[in-house]
Amino acid sequence: KETSLISSSSKNDNAVQLSSTQMIVGNTGNVSSNGLMARFKRLSLSTKTTILAIAMVTIPVLVIGTGAFLAASQSLSNKAVKLQEAETKGLADGINRFMSQRYGDVQVIANLPTIIISGVGSSQKITVLDNYVNNYQVNGQKVYDGIGVFNLNGGVIAESQESDFENQLSQEYFQNAKNSGNVFISQPIATSNNGLKIYTAAPVKNPQNGRVTSVVITQMPVQSLENVVKNYASSGQQYYLEDAEDKIFLSTEAQAINKSFKDAQLPNYAPSPEQIQIQGFQSLNWDVVLATNASTVFAPQRNLLLTIAVGTILTAVAVAFIAAWLAKRATQPILDATQAVAKLGKGQFNTRLDVEAEDEIGLLNANINQMASQLQLLVKEQEAE
C-alpha cells in the first residue's frame, strides 16, 4: 500500500510559499540585475496596478497640460509684445499730434492781422499774445509760458507778459524760420533756470510780396508735453523721450534725464523706439520708448503655469485615490485566490472562495473551490484507508 497523497503535515517544508507581496517564480538572478525592475516586480499586484493607473492618467495630463501651456504661453507672449508695441506707437502718435498742433499754433499767430500789420502798436500785439498764452490750454494746463514777435535782427517787437526772451539772432530755430520761410521746431533747450524749453518759430510774411518781415516764436516748457505723455503711460509703465542728440529730455525716471537709451537703465522689457515726425513738415528725430518690467508684461504666463500646475497636481492626487481604490477592488479577488492557493499548499483543504461573478475571476474561484473539495475528499479517503 503506497501513499497516493503527500500529507501537508509531513511534507510542509516542500510547499511553495505564496504571499500578497512576493511570489518566487523561476530564476531570480536576472531580476536582481536590474534594480528598478527588480523592485517593481517585488511590489504587490495592487501596488503595481495603482502605480500604472496613476501613470496612465497623470502622464497624458502632464503632456497635454505642458503642450497647452507652451501654446498658450507663446500666444500670450506674442499678444503682450504686440500690445506693448501698439502702446508705444500710440504714445508716439500722441506726441506727433501734440507737436503738430504747436506747428499750427505758431502759424495761426504769424498770420493774425494784428501781428502782420506793421502799423499796429506793440501794446495791441502784446494783448493778443497775452490772450493766447493765458487762454490756450490742453488738459487744463497752459501750453506756452511766452510768445514773442521779433525783427529780423532778433530784437523784440512785442512779447507776452512775464516772458524772458533774449535776442534771438543766434538761435538756430530763428535763423531757420527767417531764411527758409517755414516753421521750425527746436530741440529741447536748457534755460537759465535749469528748465527745458521747446521753441517754435514761424516767419511773418508781407501779404503783398511774401517777404519775411519778422518772426513769431513760442516758448513751451517740456512739462506741457509731459501733461500729454503721462496720459499714455499706464500704471507700472515708464516712458522715455530722447531728442536728436540722443539725450533723454522727458521721462518718468528723473535719473534718466540727459542720458541716452543705451546709458539709462531701462526696465528689462521695452520694444523698439518709435520716432517722432510731424507728418509732411519736419522730422524732429525724437525717439520714444514705453517700457515696463517683464514680470508685469508676462504675468499672465505665470498665472497660466500656476493654474496648470495646480490642476495637474490636484488631478494626480485625485487619480491616485481613485486608482488605489479601483486597484484594490480589481486585484482583491486575485489576491484572495492567491492566498487560497497558498493555504491549500499548507494543507488547509477546507479553504473556500466566494464565487460572486461569472467572469474569469469567478471561474477561477470556482475551480479552486472544486480543487479544494477534491483534495479534502482524497484526504478523507486516505485517512479511511
Side-chain angles (χ1 to χ4, degrees), residues 115 149-152 157 174 202-205 211-216:
I115 303 300
V149 182
F150 301 85
N151 60 35
L152 298 182
I157 297 175
F174 176 85
V204 178
K205 298 180 180 179
R211 291 180 180 178
V212 176
T213 59
S214 58
V215 176
V216 172

Side-chain angles (χ1 to χ4, degrees), residues 110 119 137 150 161 238 249 260 270 280 297 340:
Q137 298 181 353
F150 301 85
Q161 296 181 16
Q238 300 171 2
F249 66 90
S260 64
V297 175

Side-chain angles (χ1 to χ4, degrees), residues 13 26 135 184 206 234 250 270 321 336 368 379:
D13 293 340
N135 299 323
F184 189 84
N206 187 313
S234 60
L250 186 61
F321 281 108
D336 293 341
I368 291 176
V379 168

Side-chain angles (χ1 to χ4, degrees), residues 277-327:
Q277 180 174 354
I278 302 177
Q279 296 297 328
F281 300 106
Q282 176 186 350
S283 176
L284 297 176
N285 292 322
W286 295 353
D287 293 316
V288 61
V289 165
L290 188 62
T292 188
N293 291 322
S295 58
T296 302
V297 175
F298 300 107
Q301 285 90 317
R302 293 197 306 275
N303 296 334
L304 177 64
L305 176 61
L306 180 61
T307 301
I308 292 177
V310 171
T312 302
I313 292 173
L314 293 178
T315 300
V317 172
V319 166
F321 281 108
I322 296 173
W325 182 78
L326 291 176

Side-chain angles (χ1 to χ4, degrees), residues 64-118:
I64 294 173
T66 302
F69 169 73
L70 293 176
S73 177
Q74 184 63 37
S75 176
L76 289 174
S77 297
N78 292 337
K79 288 182 179 180
V81 170
K82 290 181 180 179
L83 177 61
Q84 192 74 4
E85 290 176 349
E87 289 182 346
T88 303
K89 190 176 186 303
L91 177 59
D93 290 342
I95 298 173
N96 270 326
R97 288 193 298 271
F98 182 79
M99 296 308 299
S100 295
Q101 291 170 357
R102 309 292 73 76
Y103 196 96
D105 289 346
V106 73
Q107 285 183 307
V108 169
I109 297 172
N111 286 287
L112 291 174
T114 307
I115 303 300
I116 294 176
I117 299 173
S118 58

Side-chain angles (χ1 to χ4, degrees), residues 256-270:
I257 302 298
N258 292 325
K259 296 181 180 178
S260 64
F261 285 154
K262 61 182 180 181
D263 296 329
Q265 293 186 0
L266 275 65
N268 49 13
Y269 180 76

Side-chain angles (χ1 to χ4, degrees), residues 6 16 35 41 47 56 73 134 144 170 189 202 265 267 293 316 331:
I6 300 175
V16 177
K41 289 184 177 181
T47 303
M56 289 175 64
S73 177
N134 295 326
Y144 305 107
S170 62
I189 298 174
Q265 293 186 0
N293 291 322
T331 60

